[in-house]
Every structure is written in structure tokens, then in C-alpha cells.
């Protein structure tokens, strides 16, 4: 193949496996992310490294326990994990991963860098959501109990939740601190203490970078602010 043909072949393989890569957005743990990463490598190898892929495939077919496990997990939530687990157990797994990276390096693509960005974005967002969850529960319970609540009341509560999420997003440290000062918050970990709704005005210039920063963090994590609020 010419260089251009190699790049085109790699790009086609990558595009065919985008759906697998996108599963990172469904992951809740590092282990689940590792499964998606390795499923992606398997998919890429099936297109780019036929010899290494065939060695793995033969192992999965000839190993009775692996074959039975995969067969019984088809069309279940554990299907992908079972296949990946069996593939990892093959003596040819490292050869397959090495071959995929070799092809990637040849065309100047940093698969590890791409994956690390996705993984970090997901784990950072999951951490922020988990840390802010107790406060979200309080905010939503207050809204549920308020029989006279308005759309503005919900906006106010969402602003507090956005601020709480920002506390766990390292890149928003300056923005969250700036907003804390604007609303005269004495305890940054408890935005409801000394809460003054009049100070929490989304029209203030300090709010926009905090709001956008949290939304961007959600996108990096394969999610959205609204999805986190609704969960």
C-alpha cells in the first residue's frame, strides 16, 4: 500500500469502529472503560491486523470454555465484556494490541492519546456527578415539596447544582472561586449556607464561564448537564 492508501484504510477502520468507541459514554467505572477500549482494539484489528485477529478468533473458537461463555452471553448486557475477557486471556492478545499500535503509529495516529482523552473526560465527569449528588438530592426534594414553584425556582436550583459540579472539575477552579466571591459564599463546599437568591444572577459576567465550563466537562464525559440533573 502507498502511504495514502494506508491512511485511507486506517481511517475507514476507525470510522467503522466509532460506535464501539462511543460506548465510553455509557461506562460507570474504569473497568467498564477498559472493556470498551479493548473491544475497540479488537474491532480495529479485525480490519487492520487480520493475522493477529485470526489467531485470537481461533483461540475463542477452540477453547471450549471461552466459546461457551461467549455463546451464552450473546444478546445480553454482558456480551461485550465476556468476549473481551476471553480475548484478553488468549496468548495472542498482546500481539494483537501491539500490531494495532504499530499500524496506528505508521499513519501518525495516537490511539492511546485519543482513548486517554475520552477516559479522563468520562472519569472526571463521573467524579463530579458523584460528588455533587447529595446536594442535588436536597435541591430536587426542595423543588418537589414546593407546590408554588416556578420555572425560575428550578433555574435557581440548577445554578447551585452547576456550581457544585464545578468544584470537582480542576480546570474550573478559578471560575468557581470567582463565583463564590460574587455570591458572597462563606463556605465553598456548602453553597446553600448563607444562600441569597438575589446574588445568584445568571446575567452576571462571572456566571457564563462557569456555566459553559461545566457543560463542556459534561460533553467531554459523553453526557450533558441536563442528563446529570435528570438522573
Amino acid at each position: 500500500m502507498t502511504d495514502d492508501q494506508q491512511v485511507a484504510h486506517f481511517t475507514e477502520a476507525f470510522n467503522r469502529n466509532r460506535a464501539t468507541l462511543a460506548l465510553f459514554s455509557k461506562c460507570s467505572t474504569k473497568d467498564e472503560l477498559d472493556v470498551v477500549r479493548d473491544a475497540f482494539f479488537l474491532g480495529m484489528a479485525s480490519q487492520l491486523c487480520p493475522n493477529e485477529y485470526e489467531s485470537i478468533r481461533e483461540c475463542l473458537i477452540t477453547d471450549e470454555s471461552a466459546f461457551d461463555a461467549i455463546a451464552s452471553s450473546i444478546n445480553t448486557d454482558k456480551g461485550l465484556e465476556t468476549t473481551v475477557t476471553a480475548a484478553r486471556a488468549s496468548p495472542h492478545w498482546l500481539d494483537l494490541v501491539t500490531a494495532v499500535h504499530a499500524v496506528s503509529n505508521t499513519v501518525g495516529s495516537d490511539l492511546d492519546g485519543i482513548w486517554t482523552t475520552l477516559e479522563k473526560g468520562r472519569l472526571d465527569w463521573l467524579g463530579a456527578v458523584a460528588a455533587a449528588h447529595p446536594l442535588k438530592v436536597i435541591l430536587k426534594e426542595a423543588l418537589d415539596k414546593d407546590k408554588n414553584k416556578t420555572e425560575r425556582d428550578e433555574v435557581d436550583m440548577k445554578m447551585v447544582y452547576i456550581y457544585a459540579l464545578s468544584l470537582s472539575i480542576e480546570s474550573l477552579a478559578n471560575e468557581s472561586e470567582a463565583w463564590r466571591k460574587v455570591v458572597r459564599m462563606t463556605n465553598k463546599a456548602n453553597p446553600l449556607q448563607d444562600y441569597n437568591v438575589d446574588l445568584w444572577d445568571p446575567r452576571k459576567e462571572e456566571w457564563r464561564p462557569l456555566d459553559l465550563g461545566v457543560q463542556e466537562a459534561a460533553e467531554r464525559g459523553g453526557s450533558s448537564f441536563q442528563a446529570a440533573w435528570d438522573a
Side-chain angles (χ1 to χ4, degrees):
M1 286 188 188
T2 66
D3 289 348
D4 287 346
Q5 287 174 328
Q6 285 183 318
V7 171
H9 186 43
F10 180 87
T11 301
E12 181 182 4
F14 190 94
N15 287 336
R16 286 184 177 181
N17 286 280
R18 281 185 182 275
T20 299
L21 203 60
L23 292 175
F24 92 101
S25 66
K26 307 298 183 184
C27 295
S28 301
T29 66
K30 176 67 165 61
D31 286 345
E32 291 178 1
L33 283 163
D34 288 346
V35 168
V36 170
R37 176 201 62 203
D38 291 345
F40 175 70
F41 286 153
L42 272 174
M44 292 293 283
S46 71
Q47 303 292 315
L48 302 173
C49 313
N51 292 334
E52 290 79 7
Y53 180 79
E54 184 61 21
S55 295
I56 293 277
R57 194 180 74 84
E58 287 182 5
C59 282
L60 301 187
I61 292 174
T62 57
D63 185 316
E64 185 175 344
S65 62
F67 182 84
D68 289 345
I70 293 171
S72 63
S73 69
I74 292 176
N75 296 325
T76 72
D77 292 340
K78 291 293 184 179
L80 187 64
E81 180 182 352
T82 302
T83 299
V84 168
T85 299
R88 287 171 178 164
S90 164
H92 304 291
W93 175 250
L94 182 58
D95 292 337
L96 179 141
V97 174
T98 301
V100 169
H101 280 93
V103 176
S104 171
N105 292 336
T106 298
V107 300
S109 177
D110 182 8
L111 286 184
D112 284 342
I114 292 170
W115 176 254
T116 297
T117 298
L118 293 176
E119 180 181 80
K120 185 178 187 307
R122 184 61 180 169
L123 291 175
D124 285 352
W125 180 244
L126 289 173
V129 169
H133 182 72
L135 180 60
K136 186 186 76 170
V137 171
I138 293 173
L139 296 173
K140 297 188 81 169
E141 284 180 349
L143 284 172
D144 289 341
K145 292 177 181 178
D146 186 355
K147 303 304 181 182
N148 299 313
K149 63 178 177 291
T150 64
E151 289 186 9
R152 176 54 202 251
D153 292 327
E154 184 167 352
V155 169
D156 291 339
M157 295 299 97
K158 285 183 175 180
M159 287 181 68
V160 175
Y161 182 49
I162 287 172
Y163 168 80
L165 288 167
S166 76
L167 292 177
S168 299
I169 301 171
E170 186 177 352
S171 61
L172 294 177
N174 292 335
E175 287 80 0
S176 62
E177 176 61 15
W179 186 251
R180 183 191 69 79
K181 293 178 179 179
V182 166
V183 298
R184 302 172 192 171
M185 195 186 309
T186 56
N187 180 359
K188 72 175 185 178
N190 185 3
L192 295 181
Q193 182 178 325
D194 303 323
Y195 176 78
N196 184 335
V197 66
D198 293 331
L199 296 177
W200 286 70
D201 187 342
R203 294 170 297 182
K204 292 181 178 178
E205 62 178 353
E206 292 87 355
W207 178 251
R208 182 173 173 79
L210 185 68
D211 184 13
L212 290 179
V214 168
Q215 293 187 47
E216 289 168 358
E219 290 175 3
R220 289 193 297 272
S223 186
S224 67
F225 165 77
Q226 190 62 44
W229 174 257
D230 291 339

